[in-house]
Amino acid sequence: MNAKYFEENGFEDFHGTKFHKAVLDHAACIANNLMFDATHPDNNDGETAANAYHVMIALREAGLSRIDEKCVAKSREFIADKIKPVSEEEREFGRAFLAAVLGIK
């Protein structure tokens, strides 16, 4: 592990299917926490979203530590070129869609 965010990462000791099960188990929790943060910004001090992001970081660091460094570097370069900011039009559509799904005005 590169220890960029954590000195110790408990997920690194998970092996095989146990690690993948942890990813699946935490995915719903992450989504729920980020959804709560997005839909209740006045009732959140930011810790809920921060917790979700830190779990994502821990899972990703542990996953990347299992892959050859050359593959990780090549992937990082490829993905960095693909990540683009969301346009305001896309953002507004996302907000309207989320509001419609959740029944928020």
Side-chain angles (χ1 to χ4, degrees):
M1 182 179 89
N2 60 18
K4 183 175 180 181
Y5 296 95
F6 303 101
E7 291 303 317
E8 294 183 29
N9 186 333
F11 291 118
E12 285 199 356
D13 294 332
F14 283 24
H15 294 285
T17 57
K18 188 175 179 184
F19 175 71
H20 289 99
K21 183 177 180 335
V23 171
L24 292 174
D25 289 346
H26 284 78
C29 181
I30 291 166
N32 289 338
N33 285 348
L34 294 177
M35 182 69 71
F36 177 83
D37 187 65
T39 57
H40 299 89
D42 297 336
N43 298 328
N44 190 347
D45 59 8
E47 285 186 31
T48 302
N51 290 341
Y53 290 126
H54 276 109
V55 173
M56 284 193 286
I57 290 168
L59 289 167
R60 283 168 174 79
E61 280 192 348
L64 289 171
S65 72
R66 300 161 189 271
I67 302 169
D68 178 73
E69 290 179 21
K70 290 179 183 176
C71 293
V72 172
K74 187 175 179 181
S75 172
R76 182 181 301 118
E77 184 178 322
F78 174 78
I79 295 301
D81 185 52
K82 301 298 178 198
I83 296 174
K84 305 290 183 222
V86 175
S87 71
E88 191 57 37
E89 182 178 300
E90 291 170 314
R91 183 173 287 123
E92 285 303 317
F93 173 79
R95 288 180 185 142
F97 180 77
L98 183 60
V101 168
L102 298 174
I104 300 171
K105 293 182 181 182

